[in-house]
Amino acid sequence: MNTVDKCDTMENLYPLGIVMIKSSRISVFLAVTMIAASLGAEALPPLPDRSGGGEMVDRFEYSSAASLQKAWRSVSGTSPATISFSGGRKILRLPCNFRGTEISRACWDFDTALDMTASTAIQFKLFSPDTSPVSHFTFYLRSGSGWYAAPFDHSPGSAWSTVTIEKDSMESEGAPAGWSRIDRIRIAAWRGESRDTTLYLADLETLGGKADIVIIRGDAAVGHDKKMAKPIAQFARTVAQQLKHFGISHAFLSDQDVTRERLKGKKLVILPYNPTVTDDVLSALEHFINNGGKLLCFYMLPERLGPLVGIRRGTHMKQSYPGQFASIRPTKGNVLGLPVLTGQSSWNIYKAQPVEGKSSVVGEWYDVNGEATGEPALIASKNCIVMTHVFIDDDPLNKQDLLLAMTGNFIPECWLQAAKYSIAEASTFGPYDSSEDASARISKLPGCRSHTRDLLNSARSLLDQARKHLSAERFAEARTAAGKVRLKLIEAHCSAQSSAGSETRAFWCHSAFGIDGLSWDAAIKLLADNGFNAIMPNMLWGGVAYYPSEVLPTAPEVETRGDQVAACAAACRKYGVECHVWKVNWNMGWKTDPQFLKKMADHDRVQVHFNGTVSERWLCPSHPQNQKLEIDAMLEVARKYDVAGIHFDYIRYPGNDYCFCKGCRSRFEKALGRKIAEWPSEVRNDGALTTKWQDFRRSNITRVVSSVSSLARQQNPDIKISAAVFPNWQTDRDNVAQDWKLWCEKRYLDFVCPMDYTPSNAQFENRVKRQKEWAGKVPVYPGIGLSTWSRAGNVCKLIDQILITRRHRMGGFTVFEYGASEAQAVVPLCGIGITGR
Ligand SMILES: [Zn+2]
């Protein structure tokens, strides 16, 4: 449930042999397709217009099937690609011939010569009437003798979807030779089931390369200091993401790739955080500026560029008191659209200075008390704006406006683009693709009430306003109105949901102190008011407890902030919410006393990797004293506190490569009744021995579960025992030795929460169905990965997945996780509909 689990779970995102479920919408569509096919034509949904801006990689203009198949070669047994048509445009038809074949994937190669140095992503449109025979998709780009690769998802639907693969998200395989030398594209659909299906692919293009704006990441400084890599990447990414949020495309270059040629034709260069700028880059930038190019520079202005842009570089200045640099407000000057106040908590600035007659201060720093500091925040000349600190992502909405004002100052079309983008975005959320579509379908939802209709009406009139502002070129006003449309429509969608009778509605809460800024009482009341009835607060780890413990080291904060289990449990009793205290097992935690860590290491109680590396924070599960520590800690909670239950997490090994410590060897040898000559390789090279080894690992984990379960129930027959588990029992029982199907069969657990953190509803549904079978009579409350999705707080997807749990009569769900933004933006929207009382 925490980040480690989340990453681990990613490996299980696309298990082989997955069966995707067809929704009723798809079945209807399939019927139509089959009729059309029998008439000899393919019924494809309308292909949306190209959004523009990208560079086409291939237009599929082939004169014959043979020439197409020469360009798009099918690999090892895959059926050949053919051309199809949609709305007069040529598209690629890719058959996946899994029926009656042994191919592990359907795969096509396209040889090309791409320079993606300045591109940000590659994008295409994809349609498939049925992706259930495919377990997962991979997109590859070959460069030299290596590849860049990324998985992609296509939820089966009745419409085309746009797949965007960001360069940032691609992993290297082998040793790729850089983004300038992409010579092959490969698309692979991996076998899931032995049935055939077809993919249709259109508009294959690279994004960003030809954009007017280029962000130059300051990688040169990393050569001097490795620690710089993180802030340099982070501040460049923040600027890039904000541009994306208002629909402005941009090119992205490492400073190592900057040449005059690559800056040619660009209008604006952004330096997000470039502590070291090499002479070559400076020469290219001088050339760029001398030819009319504009510059937006954060923090340090390179000295050599000062005279060209009419701004002095200035000097470093630390804050002289905390909160000195708290917000930016516009002063005189003519940079249009600067927000009245932009929050930014900066700790220092690089104090650039205006040059008389050439530049002026257009924004000033204000401190945390709202007093002007007299220090410059923004300085503008005719070809450059300098912001005296890096661009931080606090106060995101005003930050977007600030960045738009700065880019729009040099490229006025940005305003039009941003306004159009906001209006287009306003109504594309959840299952809807236009505001008309949203309005029509929301008003037909079973929970639609007069309040919902009021919201839809006000969304409609706000949208009219936004469009009027746009045509009158009042771009900022158009964006503001469009933003409100989106909020109204989402609220309407949420308010039209129906609640269910009795079900367990739980939240994990990762912090032992609950929600920042709320007491436990207020945090639990908020849940109860909005129809949630259970919480799993993370109160203890392998090596730390957030209550006065006689078993584990107590966290020092307990002294000042009090016993957190007591506070949470009292609030839960008051508001009728079940409190299931969440224990992270084996992992001692990030805040554990270093003395305790050392003691465990000194006594050979920590895990050792197959390769011999010691894992200092993980307790070895086969060590009898570690098992006792885990059991005693959980029993202590059950004995001392009036709580509804105790909840296992990390009740597993970190992975297949653990644990190979000395103790594991001797304990395994004892269980086996003989010595192992080749440790640890023999355990992997001998099939029969491997099975025994896996049984040994499972038994260590299961022993703790069964002991806690029976002893806690002896103390308190009403206590509920539950566990957060990996989603795919079939493979996870070996990989991480987590045998939760057995724990259900033996009734060690009262309910189980598989961490089904996937943004794909189809995949979520598929997992839930299989898990219900594995758990038998024990209830499964699937874990929904709300906070792990890229658009955090995606309440519409949360609703979709809750509805899936209801469709399969799971009797409940568990949301990851209860934090400040979820408390503010998600929980109340659930309370007006899906979890309403
Ligand atoms: Zn061990």
Side-chain angles (χ1 to χ4, degrees):
M1 295 172 298
N2 54 45
T3 39
V4 179
D5 260 28
K6 199 177 84 197
C7 296
D8 287 350
T9 311
M10 291 301 284
E11 292 164 18
N12 297 304
L13 263 179
Y14 305 103
L16 285 174
I18 211 162
V19 187
M20 288 202 179
I21 314 299
K22 288 196 288 282
S23 75
S24 54
R25 251 171 94 197
I26 311 303
S27 305
V28 171
F29 180 80
L30 268 181
V32 174
T33 314
M34 279 171 345
I35 294 162
S38 69
L39 297 172
E42 288 165 321
L44 294 177
L47 179 61
D49 290 341
R50 277 190 65 208
S51 44
E55 289 169 80
M56 294 296 270
V57 174
D58 188 20
R59 293 178 187 278
F60 312 130
E61 297 287 352
Y62 298 99
S63 54
S64 67
S67 61
L68 164 74
Q69 286 150 18
K70 207 172 153 203
W72 284 87
R73 293 188 314 282
S74 42
V75 178
S76 50
T78 305
S79 288
T82 53
I83 289 292
S84 212
F85 289 88
S86 180
R89 275 142 78 192
K90 284 188 173 174
I91 58 177
L92 206 55
R93 181 179 178 278
L94 304 170
C96 303
N97 51 320
F98 297 133
R99 188 163 162 245
T101 66
E102 293 291 314
I103 56 172
S104 61
R105 60 182 184 180
C107 184
W108 301 268
D109 279 355
F110 175 69
D111 286 349
T112 181
L114 282 181
D115 179 355
M116 284 188 63
T117 315
S119 305
T120 52
I122 195 155
Q123 183 176 289
F124 52 90
K125 294 197 180 74
L126 189 68
F127 170 73
S128 174
D130 177 17
T131 50
S132 63
V134 178
S135 79
H136 60 291
F137 296 95
T138 316
F139 188 89
Y140 300 90
L141 296 168
R142 189 176 75 173
S143 166
S145 59
W147 298 83
Y148 300 108
F152 63 93
D153 195 18
H154 175 67
S155 294
S158 55
W160 288 85
S161 66
T162 300
V163 177
T164 307
I165 294 170
E166 306 277 349
K167 264 165 63 184
D168 278 3
S169 71
M170 301 190 85
E171 307 242 331
S172 297
E173 290 180 7
W179 292 100
S180 64
R181 294 174 49 196
I182 304 297
D183 63 2
R184 179 172 294 172
I185 290 173
R186 168 173 289 180
I187 294 167
W190 297 81
R191 171 192 291 269
E193 281 182 36
S194 297
R195 291 190 295 114
D196 291 345
T197 188
T198 308
L199 313 176
Y200 297 89
L201 189 142
D203 297 345
L204 180 62
E205 53 195 330
T206 58
L207 301 185
K210 287 273 185 276
D212 290 338
I213 298 175
V214 58
I215 297 175
I216 297 179
R217 189 173 62 197
D219 295 329
V222 182
H224 308 295
D225 182 358
K226 288 258 181 304
K227 285 200 296 295
M228 298 297 280
K230 206 174 156 194
I232 283 170
Q234 180 193 328
F235 296 126
R237 198 167 46 235
T238 303
V239 174
Q241 279 170 348
Q242 290 291 15
L243 286 176
K244 223 182 291 167
H245 279 151
F246 47 82
I248 308 283
S249 61
H250 63 272
F252 199 94
L253 280 179
S254 163
D255 54 5
Q256 288 151 351
D257 296 321
V258 169
T259 58
R260 278 188 186 190
E261 194 52 35
R262 288 194 172 119
L263 297 184
K264 200 173 161 188
K266 304 290 174 201
K267 292 182 179 165
L268 176 67
V269 162
I270 300 179
L271 301 179
Y273 177 47
N274 304 61
T276 306
V277 185
T278 62
D279 286 344
D280 287 350
V281 173
L282 284 170
S283 302
L285 285 172
E286 281 171 346
H287 182 81
F288 168 74
I289 294 167
N290 283 330
N291 284 279
K294 308 293 196 292
L295 185 68
L296 175 54
C297 177
F298 292 90
Y299 202 41
M300 282 177 276
L301 175 69
E303 189 119 44
R304 244 172 79 181
L305 301 182
L308 280 180
V309 301
I311 298 174
R312 247 180 249 117
R313 171 185 166 93
T315 50
H316 180 258
M317 177 185 173
K318 265 192 182 166
Q319 61 181 8
S320 53
Y321 57 96
Q324 183 182 8
F325 306 119
S327 66
I328 297 171
R329 304 188 197 191
T331 53
K332 61 187 183 331
N334 52 0
V335 176
L336 277 179
L338 286 176
V340 179
L341 187 155
T342 308
Q344 159 136 339
S345 308
S346 290
W347 51 94
N348 62 13
I349 61 172
Y350 220 90
K351 194 175 163 182
Q353 295 291 331
V355 174
E356 180 79 37
K358 298 216 160 153
S359 58
S360 60
V361 175
V362 296
E364 186 183 339
W365 286 106
Y366 278 63
D367 74 6
V368 73
N369 299 314
E371 301 288 334
T373 63
E375 301 300 343
L378 305 168
I379 296 164
S381 70
K382 67 177 192 330
N383 57 1
C384 178
I385 294 179
V386 172
M387 177 166 149
T388 56
H389 197 221
V390 291
F391 197 71
I392 311 176
D393 61 0
D394 51 356
D395 193 8
L397 293 179
N398 284 312
K399 280 289 164 53
Q400 276 178 31
D401 289 349
L402 180 73
L403 188 58
L404 180 55
M406 295 194 286
T407 51
N409 186 58
F410 296 123
I411 310 177
E413 304 88 78
C414 286
W415 283 103
L416 173 66
Q417 267 179 52
K420 278 188 175 167
Y421 184 82
S422 302
I423 291 174
E425 274 281 280
S427 42
T428 50
F429 67 93
Y432 311 117
D433 41 42
S434 72
S435 69
E436 289 73 16
D437 180 40
S439 227
R441 283 165 59 194
I442 289 171
S443 52
K444 286 191 196 119
L445 287 173
C448 180
R449 323 171 250 145
S450 64
H451 177 58
T452 313
R453 280 185 283 274
D454 291 347
L455 288 163
L456 291 175
N457 287 336
S458 87
R460 207 167 296 134
S461 74
L462 280 161
L463 186 62
D464 286 343
Q465 281 176 31
R467 286 175 176 151
K468 276 183 196 142
H469 286 311
L470 180 67
S471 55
E473 302 195 352
R474 292 188 299 267
F475 301 124
E477 291 86 341
R479 290 184 73 230
T480 309
K484 289 182 189 159
V485 172
R486 187 180 174 83
L487 294 177
K488 294 278 179 199
L489 286 174
I490 289 174
E491 192 181 343
H493 174 79
C494 293
S495 79
Q497 304 300 320
S498 306
S499 193
S502 113
E503 71 186 347
T504 296
R505 299 171 185 152
F507 253 109
W508 278 294
C509 180
H510 203 282
S511 166
F513 301 97
I515 308 291
D516 268 350
L518 292 184
S519 63
W520 268 119
D521 190 279
I524 298 298
K525 181 174 189 299
L526 183 71
L527 285 185
D529 284 349
N530 289 289
F532 287 87
N533 52 27
I535 185 162
M536 285 83 165
N538 182 197
M539 295 293 184
L540 61 162
W541 292 66
V544 65
Y546 289 87
Y547 53 90
S549 174
E550 292 156 48
V551 180
L552 290 169
T554 302
E557 296 99 313
V558 171
E559 183 118 337
T560 49
R561 302 180 68 176
D563 180 335
Q564 296 304 304
V565 179
C568 180
C572 285
R573 277 195 304 279
K574 184 168 161 191
Y575 299 108
V577 170
E578 290 183 14
C579 178
H580 298 268
V581 175
W582 162 10
K583 162 92 159 78
V584 170
N585 298 97
W586 312 120
N587 187 311
M588 285 184 272
W590 295 104
K591 296 219 172 144
T592 304
D593 181 3
Q595 290 297 320
F596 185 79
L597 292 177
K598 185 172 181 304
K599 188 177 130 194
M600 294 296 118
D602 288 350
H603 289 80
D604 293 330
R605 286 175 65 173
V606 294
Q607 298 197 29
V608 175
H609 190 275
F610 183 78
N611 67 17
T613 322
V614 174
S615 207
E616 59 157 7
R617 282 179 195 274
W618 285 81
L619 293 167
C620 168
S622 81
H623 197 297
Q625 279 178 277
N626 289 345
Q627 293 178 5
K628 185 169 183 317
L629 185 69
E630 291 291 323
I631 295 165
D632 289 350
M634 293 183 84
L635 292 178
E636 184 187 35
V637 172
R639 185 173 66 248
K640 286 187 178 171
Y641 297 95
D642 180 9
V643 292
I646 41 180
H647 184 70
F648 290 99
D649 183 23
Y650 277 64
I651 186 69
R652 58 176 174 85
Y653 283 79
N656 199 24
D657 291 324
Y658 294 93
C659 168
F660 292 91
C661 75
K662 283 188 292 189
C664 276
R665 180 181 188 170
S666 69
R667 290 183 282 271
F668 180 49
E669 284 176 342
K670 195 174 163 205
L672 206 61
R674 70 167 173 89
K675 293 278 176 206
I676 295 169
E678 298 291 326
W679 177 265
S681 55
E682 199 177 324
V683 167
R684 294 210 166 157
N685 299 337
D686 171 342
L689 191 63
T690 303
T691 307
K692 288 193 170 138
W693 170 246
Q694 299 290 29
D695 286 340
F696 169 74
R697 292 167 82 232
R698 278 189 284 271
S699 72
N700 293 317
I701 306 291
T702 295
R703 188 171 305 124
V704 170
V705 177
S706 72
S707 303
V708 168
S709 179
S710 67
L711 295 170
R713 284 169 181 161
Q714 280 171 27
Q715 289 174 187
N716 172 5
D718 294 330
I719 198 150
K720 289 185 185 165
I721 313 293
S722 60
V725 298
F726 274 12
N728 192 357
W729 164 79
Q730 230 159 25
T731 51
D732 297 327
R733 69 188 294 269
D734 281 337
N735 286 336
V736 295
Q738 189 173 60
D739 206 1
W740 63 264
K741 180 171 179 284
L742 177 78
W743 306 343
C744 292
E745 279 163 15
K746 299 270 187 191
R747 296 299 182 104
Y748 300 150
L749 300 181
D750 292 293
F751 64 91
V752 63
C753 309
M755 295 173 280
D756 295 327
Y757 304 161
T758 165
S760 157
N761 292 342
Q763 191 169 43
F764 181 82
E765 181 157 14
N766 167 55
R767 287 180 177 181
V768 163
K769 240 180 93 172
R770 295 208 300 172
Q771 289 157 354
K772 196 177 182 190
E773 282 175 24
W774 291 329
K777 294 204 165 96
V778 170
V780 179
Y781 303 147
I784 301 177
L786 173 73
S787 313
T788 69
W789 298 330
S790 57
R791 193 165 207 152
N794 189 334
V795 66
C796 300
K797 194 177 288 297
L798 172 62
I799 289 171
D800 292 344
Q801 298 196 356
I802 290 174
L803 290 173
I804 291 168
T805 69
R806 287 187 187 160
R807 196 152 66 234
H808 291 280
R809 301 182 188 284
M810 306 307 285
F813 54 86
T814 317
V815 186
F816 181 78
E817 65 128 2
Y818 193 33
S821 65
E822 289 77 10
Q824 195 205 350
V826 178
V827 169
L829 285 175
C830 291
I832 58 171
I834 193 84
T835 60
R837 313 237 269 180

